[in-house]
Amino acid sequence: MLPNITLGFHISDTYYDAKMTYRTTLELIFKSHTFLPNYKCGTQKNLLAVIGGLGSDTSFHVMNILGLHKIPQLTYGSFAIDETKTMEVPPFYRMVPNENLQYMGIIWLLQHFRWTWVGLVVVDDNSGEQFLRILEPLFSKHGICSAFTKRIPQEVRMEEFINHFSRSSPIDLSREDYRASTMIMYGESLTILRLKTFIHSPESENTENPLFGKVWIVTTQTDFILTGAARGWDFQMFQGAILFAIHTKEVPGFREFLQNINPTRTERDGFLKNFWEQAFDCLFPDPGMPVMDDDTCTGEERPESLIAGLFEMHMTGHSYSIYNAVHALAHALHAIDLSKSKRRSNIVGRNIQLQSLQPWQLHQFLQGISFNNSAGETMSFNDQWEMSGGFDIMNLVTFPNNSFQRIKIGSVVHYAADRRIFTISEDNIVWHRYFNEVVPLSVCNEYCHPGHQKKRKEGEQFCCYDCAPCPEGKISNQTDVEDCFKCPEDQYPSNNKNHCNPKVVHFLSYEEPLGKGLASTAASFSFITTLVFASFVKHKDTPIVKANNRDLTYILLISLLLCFLTSLLFLGQPGKVTCLLRQPAFSIIFSVAVSCVLAKTIIVSLAFMATKPGSSVKKWMGKKVSYSIAVSGSLLQMCFCTVWLSTFPPFPDLDMHSVNEEIIVQCNEGSVTMFYCVLGYMGLLAISSFIVAFLARKLPDSFNEAKFITFSMLAFCSVWLSFVPTYLSTRGKGMVAVEIFSILASSAVLLGCIFFPKCYIIVLRPELNSREQIMRRKN
């Protein structure tokens, strides 16, 4: 690349002064023995590009001059800039991603450690103000507050800088500021020295120092450097600091190059002897002057013996950027050389053509440049004229000998407009000993514990808040939540409102005492009904059985037996089949029973009416009438149930809201209208039976069956009238138990009132079970 061609360079100082920056830039362009801007006097070497500056102020000052002449400017520092988006010719070729990525890296770092109360220390210049203008809105957007903002004055002259030793410190923190354990520092290369000067703390072990025991987050432009005058200072105050650094990679041969440097063997280097004297605190003897053994530089001192603040043996991020900038220019010149190679006949001609190259001609080659550097990384500019890549996140580890080491703990990489990757290895971080190896806490107030939520404090920043208990029915299972939330439907809040407990599945089972009691009762009544039925079958030819419409009695007893058994469908966990069957089955069977009672009542009434002389009621006294009444009453109920099951049948359902700590497994009745129609029709049959029996209660029957039916239907109606409000006001087991109790009670009333007197005669008083006794009683 570029055979027989050497790239020359000038190094110029800006003195942190705009006027000197402008003058130096003009001197680079119009180089002469005297300062004559805009005049090219005599022969000179051609200026093709400028690398610099480090900060935004210096870079913009240089750009004001270079932009007029379209000279490429490659910056090796990182700063925010949006002006390039509207310019055809780029003012900068940035070797480092702009600060927008660093700003987001800071935000992601604060969010990772949940640091929401942060102090800001910035250099007092335009770049510091721009840093605040961009970062503070990002703070508000991501839930972070700035506890305070301190500005470090930027003094140009060293004598003014040193005079601050005798002045009071401008870094004055109030008691409220002490809550901020994290501080972000933005500045330039000498900011650390200025800060050390202002806080009056050469001995950083002074724990009364308001800035002692903080986590420092330091941006890329700030560097930890020492001068000869500050040789005795240490960086113990910055132990555990987290540094955003320009990405760097070790260049092969660079460390060996540093180890072999010797100021006595280096020619035409105007910096090395001055650096050597300051770094090793010695002097090179002047010719003819006596040699002093104690402070004479021998040239054999080794740079690797210096502490890190004075000199580092690896290539820093800024140096790596300059290294890549030089190679980018060399590759651009090489591309130009190749593009013209067909028109060149010899080496001399090539040298002459490159020497006559104009700076503006480099732009099209720089914008499309892409090359692999010797460190093995691919370098190219994106559409914003900046090198792709990112920033390294470093941890500063200090040592008792005032040296330090930077350890990489993460990175912020910008691959594309929508892909930003933040990584950090928390386990590798060494914190300041003030924190006892625990992750620091930097918040305005203590975190809200689980079971509480944030409550805004009036008149303070949103990062400062009180903690209020979660309202009823809500929980918070993490610290510092904005709002409590409800548990899932199958869970309920704990007493401390910090977690959810699973709800207990609840239904009336056979295993629990209530279920056992109801099941035993149903079984007992079923057994009694079976005995009654067996007694009636055994004595089917006796007068008392014949006189009570034997077939209708059998149907009534069987329906009562089934009523007792259907109550068992309501016990246990509801399933699809049980939910589908239990209400219709109970309704139809109970309607059969009540229809039989109604038929018996009507037949009893008609029997006495038929005994009157000239009565035409005799023709209604056949069995067909009683069967017709029982069947028609049952069929209508069956129609209701058929419509119910074909339109919106019952189904298993989970009630998760009625009881706070339980999931009630129940049968949803489907169509509520049809459910109450079925109950209403059954009640209509019962009331009709009660009215007919009540009217026939004083008939001269030997056993007075009408009175027994009247009492049984009165009890039956009382049970079901009390059932409806009780059923509607209960949930879960109680609702099921009420319905089972109503079924058992009403069936037992019918069984007892209608059949107990007859069983008493059949079993205990058989002498009364004769035709003569019945006729005598009737007469």
Side-chain angles (χ1 to χ4, degrees):
M1 187 171 64
L2 300 177
N4 294 333
I5 296 174
T6 300
L7 298 183
F9 65 93
H10 294 280
I11 296 180
S12 301
D13 196 354
T14 64
Y15 299 97
Y16 296 102
D17 181 73
K19 179 179 178 181
M20 291 301 298
T21 301
Y22 285 126
R23 179 185 176 95
T24 302
T25 306
L26 289 170
E27 285 183 339
L28 285 173
I29 300 175
F30 308 103
K31 192 67 178 176
S32 180
H33 294 291
T34 58
F35 181 59
L36 296 172
N38 296 328
Y39 285 91
K40 294 187 176 182
C41 303
T43 61
Q44 62 178 13
K45 293 185 178 181
N46 194 19
L47 175 68
L48 293 180
V50 171
I51 299 175
L54 176 63
S56 60
D57 289 349
T58 300
S59 297
F60 278 106
H61 294 154
V62 174
M63 182 201 70
N64 292 336
I65 304 298
L66 299 184
L68 298 175
H69 301 274
K70 296 184 179 181
I71 299 176
Q73 179 181 353
L74 290 77
T75 62
Y76 58 90
S78 178
F79 46 85
I81 177 174
D82 293 325
E83 286 82 357
T84 58
K85 296 180 180 179
T86 60
M87 296 184 180
E88 296 181 359
V89 178
F92 306 121
Y93 293 94
R94 285 169 284 170
M95 307 307 299
V96 182
N98 66 63
E99 280 190 348
N100 293 331
L101 180 60
Q102 182 179 215
Y103 292 135
M104 290 309 303
I106 293 174
I107 296 297
W108 292 331
L109 178 68
L110 296 177
Q111 288 180 330
H112 177 82
F113 290 108
R114 302 180 66 186
W115 294 332
T116 58
W117 193 244
V118 182
L120 298 175
V121 179
V122 300
V123 64
D124 191 9
D125 62 4
N126 293 333
S127 63
E129 294 302 320
Q130 185 182 24
F131 176 80
L132 295 176
R133 284 196 302 270
I134 297 176
L135 189 65
E136 288 183 333
L138 289 176
F139 274 8
S140 300
K141 182 179 178 180
H142 294 87
I144 302 168
C145 300
S146 56
F148 57 85
T149 301
K150 303 299 179 181
R151 290 173 172 81
I152 304 174
Q154 185 174 10
E155 302 297 339
V156 177
R157 293 179 173 82
M158 183 58 65
E159 59 269 21
E160 296 179 1
F161 174 64
I162 296 176
N163 286 339
H164 277 288
F165 273 113
S166 59
R167 301 178 188 174
S168 59
S169 171
I171 307 297
D172 183 22
L173 299 184
S174 63
R175 287 189 175 273
E176 289 74 15
D177 297 338
Y178 278 84
R179 291 176 297 184
S181 297
T182 304
M183 304 185 73
I184 300 174
M185 181 165 57
Y186 182 89
E188 35 73 34
S189 56
L190 293 180
T191 300
I192 293 291
L193 290 180
R194 291 192 172 95
L195 181 66
K196 292 280 289 184
T197 302
F198 291 143
I199 62 177
H200 291 189
S201 182
E203 298 295 334
S204 60
E205 295 296 328
N206 179 16
T207 56
E208 296 181 359
N209 177 1
L211 301 182
F212 182 86
K214 305 291 184 182
V215 178
W216 290 89
I217 299 176
V218 184
T219 55
T220 58
Q221 303 297 70
T222 306
D223 204 356
F224 287 80
I225 60 173
L226 293 172
T227 63
R231 179 186 299 274
W233 292 4
D234 61 33
F235 295 106
Q236 294 299 317
M237 187 179 75
F238 299 103
Q239 164 75 359
I242 298 177
L243 318 177
F244 280 84
I246 296 173
H247 171 68
T248 184
K249 196 170 183 180
E250 287 299 324
V251 176
F254 180 68
R255 186 178 183 89
E256 291 76 12
F257 166 75
L258 294 180
Q259 291 173 341
N260 294 328
I261 282 181
N262 190 309
T264 61
R265 299 194 298 267
T266 304
E267 297 180 1
R268 301 174 64 185
D269 191 327
F271 298 104
L272 192 53
K273 284 190 176 182
N274 285 335
F275 162 75
W276 209 269
E277 290 179 341
Q278 292 187 39
F280 293 102
D281 196 18
C282 62
L283 293 173
F284 285 102
D286 291 333
M289 295 294 293
V291 177
M292 304 295 293
D293 293 336
D294 55 347
D295 60 353
T296 300
C297 296
T298 64
E300 300 300 324
E301 293 85 2
R302 306 270 35 99
E304 58 263 31
S305 65
L306 296 173
I307 62 174
L310 290 173
F311 190 75
E312 296 182 63
M313 293 295 292
H314 68 274
M315 185 173 284
T316 63
H318 294 137
S319 298
Y320 188 65
S321 299
I322 296 173
Y323 164 82
N324 287 322
V326 172
H327 279 265
L329 289 170
H331 279 81
L333 291 171
H334 181 63
I336 294 175
D337 186 43
L338 290 178
S339 68
K340 298 180 179 180
S341 61
K342 293 182 179 180
R343 292 174 292 174
R344 297 170 184 161
S345 59
N346 53 59
I347 298 298
V348 176
R350 295 170 66 182
N351 286 337
I352 292 174
Q353 288 189 16
L354 279 182
Q355 183 62 38
S356 63
L357 185 68
Q358 296 300 313
W360 57 266
Q361 294 178 291
L362 267 70
H363 282 291
Q364 70 178 87
F365 292 93
L366 276 174
Q367 293 175 20
I369 201 71
S370 178
F371 64 94
N372 292 331
N373 63 16
S374 59
E377 293 191 320
T378 301
M379 311 304 297
S380 62
F381 292 104
N382 59 22
D383 55 356
Q384 298 298 321
W385 305 297
E386 67 179 34
M387 284 289 178
S388 57
F391 298 98
D392 294 334
I393 302 177
M394 316 294 288
N395 182 216
L396 190 74
V397 180
T398 60
F399 303 103
N401 65 348
N402 297 341
S403 184
F404 60 82
Q405 182 181 2
R406 295 183 181 94
I407 299 175
K408 185 176 179 179
I409 57 172
S411 62
V412 183
V413 182
H414 193 176
Y415 287 114
D418 57 345
R419 287 190 63 200
R420 296 180 178 181
I421 298 180
F422 170 82
T423 59
I424 190 166
S425 178
E426 186 176 333
D427 295 335
N428 294 333
I429 299 178
V430 178
W431 301 108
H432 195 286
R433 58 182 174 277
Y434 178 82
F435 300 111
N436 295 323
E437 299 182 0
V438 177
V439 177
L441 190 69
S442 187
V443 292
C444 182
N445 44 260
E446 292 291 333
Y447 291 136
C448 291
H449 297 294
H452 295 77
Q453 64 183 5
K454 294 181 180 179
K455 182 180 179 182
R456 182 72 181 271
K457 283 185 177 180
E458 293 295 332
E460 295 194 27
Q461 296 190 60
F462 64 88
C463 293
C464 301
Y465 47 83
D466 291 323
C467 297
C470 290
E472 287 298 324
K474 292 186 175 182
I475 68 139
S476 65
N477 56 3
Q478 296 179 347
T479 58
D480 235 27
V481 298
E482 296 287 342
D483 295 298
C484 299
F485 59 90
K486 291 184 177 181
C487 291
E489 287 189 339
D490 58 346
Q491 299 177 10
Y492 68 94
S494 63
N495 293 333
N496 296 328
K497 300 179 181 179
N498 57 3
H499 66 277
C500 295
N501 295 324
K503 290 184 177 180
V504 179
V505 177
H506 194 76
F507 57 88
L508 187 58
S509 67
Y510 289 96
E511 288 76 17
E512 56 186 296
L514 181 60
K516 289 180 180 179
L518 292 173
S520 300
T521 303
S524 300
F525 281 123
S526 299
F527 179 71
I528 293 172
T529 307
T530 303
L531 291 179
V532 173
F533 182 74
S535 299
F536 271 65
V537 171
K538 183 178 180 180
H539 301 86
K540 61 182 179 179
D541 296 326
T542 59
I544 197 169
V545 175
K546 290 181 178 181
N548 283 275
N549 197 332
R550 182 171 54 191
D551 296 336
L552 207 60
T553 301
Y554 291 163
I555 296 173
L556 177 59
L557 284 172
I558 293 174
S559 61
L560 288 177
L561 174 63
L562 293 176
C563 283
F564 288 124
L565 294 177
T566 55
S567 64
L568 299 178
L569 291 173
F570 292 83
L571 291 173
Q573 183 171 354
K576 186 175 182 179
V577 176
T578 54
C579 286
L580 195 67
L581 292 179
R582 67 184 191 180
Q583 292 290 4
F586 155 70
S587 302
I588 292 172
I589 294 171
F590 229 102
S591 297
V592 171
V594 177
S595 297
C596 291
V597 173
L598 177 61
K600 288 174 66 67
T601 308
I602 291 175
I603 292 300
V604 169
S605 300
L606 292 177
F608 283 95
M609 293 173 63
T611 58
K612 295 180 180 179
S615 175
S616 61
V617 181
K618 276 189 176 182
K619 60 182 179 179
W620 299 101
M621 289 298 296
K623 290 185 177 180
K624 294 182 179 180
V625 175
S626 61
Y627 292 154
S628 299
I629 295 173
V631 171
S632 60
S634 304
L635 283 177
L636 191 55
Q637 184 71 295
M638 292 177 67
C639 292
F640 281 123
C641 291
T642 301
V643 173
W644 184 9
L645 295 178
S646 60
T647 56
F648 194 1
F651 57 91
D653 192 17
L654 300 178
D655 182 3
M656 300 184 179
H657 306 290
S658 297
V659 182
N660 186 38
E661 300 179 3
E662 298 175 356
I663 297 176
I664 300 175
V665 185
Q666 62 182 9
C667 287
N668 190 309
E669 306 304 345
S671 175
V672 178
T673 302
M674 293 305 301
F675 173 65
Y676 284 109
C677 284
V678 167
L679 287 182
Y681 177 73
M682 193 165 57
L684 179 64
L685 289 177
I687 292 173
S688 300
S689 298
F690 170 73
I691 293 173
V692 175
F694 180 78
L695 294 175
R697 70 189 186 282
K698 294 184 179 180
L699 294 176
D701 185 12
S702 58
F703 303 107
N704 210 348
E705 188 174 21
K707 291 182 180 180
F708 296 139
I709 293 176
T710 302
F711 182 77
S712 65
M713 298 314 299
L714 178 63
F716 180 92
C717 292
S718 300
V719 169
W720 286 101
L721 286 175
S722 61
F723 158 77
V724 174
T726 308
Y727 181 83
L728 295 176
S729 62
T730 55
R731 289 290 181 271
K733 295 180 182 180
M735 184 174 66
V736 177
V738 166
E739 187 163 5
I740 295 175
F741 175 80
S742 300
I743 293 172
L744 295 178
S746 56
S747 301
V749 165
L750 290 178
L751 179 67
C753 294
I754 295 176
F755 293 100
F756 178 75
K758 297 177 178 59
C759 290
Y760 173 75
I761 292 175
I762 292 173
V763 177
L764 300 179
R765 300 290 300 275
E767 68 276 8
L768 299 178
N769 190 7
S770 62
R771 181 177 179 84
E772 292 76 14
Q773 288 292 330
I774 294 176
M775 295 300 297
R776 186 176 61 82
R777 293 286 298 179
K778 287 182 178 181
N779 295 332

